[in-house]
Amino acid sequence: HHISHLTSRHHLPVTTTGGSMDSDEFREAGRQMVELAANYVDTLRERPVYPEVSPDYIRALIPTEAPHDPQPFSEILGDIERVIMPGVTHWNHPSFFAYFPTGHGYPSILADILSDVIGCIGFTWAASPACTDLEVVMMDWLAKACGLPDHFLSTSERGGGCIQGTASEATLMTMLAARNSMKEEEMGRLVAYSSALAHSSVRRATQLAGVKYRLLPTDEDHSLRGAALRAAVEEDTRNGLVPFFCVATVGTTDCCSSDNVREIASVCNELGLWAHVDAAYAGSQFVCEELRQDLDGIELVDSYNFNPHKWLTVIFDCSTLWLKDKQRLSQAFLVDPKYLQHDNQRRAVDFRHWQIPLGRRFRSLKLWFTMRLYGISGLQSNIRSSIALAERFEKLVVASDQFELFCPRRCALVCFRLKGSNEVNEKLHSDLNATRKIHLTGSEVSGCFFLRLAICSSLTTEQDVDDAWQLIHDQAYQLLATSA
């Protein structure tokens, strides 16, 4: 009922002729689509946060073949609630507390409309100069907003940044760039390092790059320290291996812990490893000056990445990567066929050399719209309010006799557990998600299973946090009563 009523509001019928849609039909369909989108957001809390469907559920709801003749837009619009919405996990629901946030903001959505309408494939500067030039400047805007070193700016002698699709791509590209500078006879002996809590994408990057991978132990705060890296590098070197790359994580997925960037980068600089920082989630908080403690040592690293599409209200995909020496990346993948060459390529940036795909969307529009319509002050406010809600939930856990923190709150993530076994916590996690009133993810570190509550939606209020806590408390009470 949430969306179907939109089609009855005296909308003009949108029909297409010969499979095309003209400008007038697009205007009318666009008005209906924008109204649907706004209504979806306004009524999100009326929906269950998590769907109750089985794999392949859609097959029974739509035909087995595409229609031979054009269908009216109203028919497609009517099928959204019937076909799509039953299988949607609502990531921007006020009671969605799983994983980390996915960026969501109307300015970014509007920018994507413009990107889609322009429809350029910005593989070279000449393919659409605005696509490249705006990205260069937006990367500088964002670097300055986050307090990054000047040598990451495009106006510096060697530095610069670009937008990747995901942090996984950024890790892979920098790892491949580092591998490219190694000697041919070293290729079978290269070793990359990270903490045991680094994201699984680091392991995938080593598999794709064809290099060895060593996970390193963390300290009592779940942080990788320089001494642990140094010991591993020296041991592997004695054994004939060639250490070449290390990922330091700022804001791990498990518990949002951060590695010691200064210590790790210092070891890398001394021993000749590429130092890359993955701050996919936590990096957004650095728009707030008072939250930049984990940036200590960032001036020593070779590359730095975070995802505005997580916590800066920017729609996926938008993962920002900066390099101290951009040519180490761009020259590593330089393939220049005649059909891609242009008159300005010696003076302009061609981002096709910085990424895995050839083509790229006009993603910098999302940063331009978002930073202008929110202002840095608006982005700061969103970060601070999320953290305040997480602090509220943390206090509720601390005040409880039945629950405990796994670790202190970090950013807007609280890791907690019911006092007891892993099994009882896994059952509590399952029971909570089965209610479809809230959605949480769990994790396990050092053999200890815990629940993660991340403030993900800008729609989440203090009442939503309190309601979530009450549900968690009630489900725990029922679980303990049943197992007693």
Side-chain angles (χ1 to χ4, degrees):
H1 68 285
H2 301 283
I3 288 177
S4 57
H5 74 278
L6 293 177
T7 58
S8 63
R9 291 189 182 178
H10 307 293
H11 289 311
L12 297 174
V14 179
T15 57
T16 58
T17 304
S20 64
M21 178 181 280
D22 65 26
S23 296
D24 288 337
E25 291 166 341
F26 175 71
R27 287 188 181 95
E28 179 58 31
R31 280 190 286 269
Q32 295 178 33
M33 199 69 216
V34 167
E35 187 173 352
L36 182 152
N39 185 71
Y40 167 75
V41 174
D42 290 345
T43 60
L44 251 181
R45 67 174 60 249
E46 300 174 19
R47 300 175 179 274
V49 63
Y50 192 74
E52 193 172 20
V53 295
S54 300
D56 206 29
Y57 83 96
I58 279 183
R59 190 176 298 276
L61 301 178
I62 60 177
T64 57
E65 296 180 0
H68 179 269
D69 297 317
Q71 295 180 339
F73 183 69
S74 60
E75 191 170 327
I76 299 171
L77 204 65
D79 277 347
I80 293 175
E81 190 67 42
R82 182 182 69 87
V83 177
I84 302 302
M85 287 300 166
V88 172
T89 299
H90 300 287
W91 279 66
N92 293 287
H93 194 290
S95 297
F96 182 93
F97 302 112
Y99 312 108
F100 280 134
T102 179
H104 190 268
Y106 288 131
S108 182
I109 294 171
L110 292 172
D112 258 357
I113 293 175
L114 179 58
S115 173
D116 292 341
V117 167
I118 292 173
C120 66
I121 310 296
F123 41 74
T124 64
W125 179 86
S128 193
C131 182
T132 296
D133 285 356
L134 184 65
E135 183 164 334
V136 171
V137 178
M138 287 305 98
M139 292 299 296
D140 286 351
W141 276 22
L142 191 55
K144 292 174 182 178
C146 292
L148 299 184
D150 287 347
H151 61 237
F152 282 141
L153 301 178
S154 66
T155 51
S156 67
E157 183 179 357
R158 303 186 69 84
C162 71
I163 300 174
Q164 300 280 338
T166 64
S168 304
E169 292 175 41
T171 299
L172 175 60
M173 292 305 295
T174 51
M175 188 180 295
L176 290 173
R179 189 189 70 167
N180 186 69
S181 64
M182 307 305 292
K183 299 174 182 177
E184 184 67 31
E185 60 268 23
E186 296 173 327
M187 287 300 171
R189 297 180 287 135
L190 298 179
V191 188
Y193 302 87
S194 76
S195 94
L197 297 184
H199 194 269
S200 59
S201 60
V202 181
R203 179 179 294 279
R204 292 189 67 195
T206 62
Q207 292 172 338
L208 290 165
V211 300
K212 302 180 190 304
Y213 181 38
R214 184 165 178 180
L215 294 167
L216 303 178
T218 58
D219 66 11
E220 63 277 5
D221 293 321
H222 310 108
S223 173
L224 175 61
R225 306 297 298 272
L229 175 61
R230 179 185 296 277
V233 168
E234 291 177 348
E235 178 187 17
D236 287 342
T237 301
R238 287 193 301 269
N239 291 332
L241 299 176
V242 182
F244 83 110
F245 188 87
C246 182
V247 177
T249 305
V250 173
T252 61
T253 302
D254 287 295
C255 59
C256 209
S257 59
S258 292
D259 297 335
N260 191 306
V261 172
R262 179 169 296 280
E263 291 182 3
I264 292 169
S266 296
V267 172
C268 288
N269 289 349
E270 178 188 342
L271 301 180
L273 282 72
W274 181 305
H276 174 68
V277 170
D278 173 5
Y281 163 63
S284 293
Q285 71 177 327
F286 300 140
V287 296
C288 302
E289 292 185 22
E290 75 275 14
L291 300 175
R292 292 178 181 167
Q293 297 88 339
D294 288 332
L295 269 183
D296 180 49
I298 197 67
E299 71 279 2
L300 302 176
V301 308
D302 296 285
S303 52
Y304 172 76
N305 165 247
F306 85 96
N307 291 343
H309 67 232
K310 277 191 168 66
W311 203 9
L312 275 191
T313 77
V314 176
I315 295 291
F316 185 86
D317 57 344
C318 183
S319 183
T320 45
L321 170 67
W322 289 269
L323 299 110
K324 184 180 291 187
D325 184 351
K326 59 192 175 189
Q327 288 201 338
R328 291 187 70 184
L329 178 63
S330 62
Q331 294 301 308
F333 310 103
L334 189 60
V335 178
D336 198 28
K338 197 72 175 177
Y339 53 79
L340 292 177
Q341 295 175 14
H342 57 92
D343 292 341
N344 290 290
Q345 65 183 48
R346 294 189 181 278
R347 297 192 299 125
V349 177
D350 282 344
F351 281 129
R352 63 189 170 96
H353 300 309
W354 298 45
Q355 61 179 24
I356 296 170
L358 174 64
R360 58 204 332 268
R361 296 173 61 247
F362 204 161
R363 291 178 290 207
S364 57
L365 287 170
K366 293 186 284 196
L367 291 175
W368 193 44
F369 276 44
T370 297
M371 285 191 276
R372 292 183 67 186
L373 285 166
Y374 280 97
I376 299 304
S377 63
L379 300 177
Q380 291 170 335
S381 177
N382 183 64
I383 297 290
R384 290 169 181 146
S385 64
S386 297
I387 291 174
L389 290 172
E391 288 174 336
R392 182 183 186 89
F393 185 82
E394 181 185 35
K395 290 176 182 176
L396 292 169
V397 174
V398 171
S400 169
D401 293 331
Q402 292 179 310
F403 286 86
E404 61 187 359
L405 294 174
F406 171 75
C407 61
R409 175 205 56 80
R410 300 183 180 111
C411 295
L413 175 70
V414 181
C415 298
F416 68 104
R417 66 196 308 275
L418 187 60
K419 293 177 182 178
S421 66
N422 282 353
E423 290 73 22
V424 73
N425 278 279
E426 289 177 14
K427 182 65 166 63
L428 175 60
H429 176 233
S430 177
D431 289 350
L432 285 166
N433 283 342
T435 68
R436 300 167 68 223
K437 295 179 180 178
I438 66 173
H439 193 50
L440 301 171
T441 44
S443 193
E444 186 173 319
V445 172
S446 302
C448 180
F449 181 88
F450 54 90
L451 286 72
R452 302 167 69 265
L453 185 138
I455 303 299
C456 293
S457 173
S458 60
L459 303 174
T460 302
T461 64
E462 291 184 351
Q463 188 61 54
D464 293 314
V465 170
D466 293 347
D467 289 347
W469 173 248
Q470 187 63 52
L471 180 65
I472 292 166
H473 183 274
D474 292 347
Q475 289 291 317
Y477 179 82
Q478 293 179 26
L479 177 61
L480 294 175
T482 303
S483 59

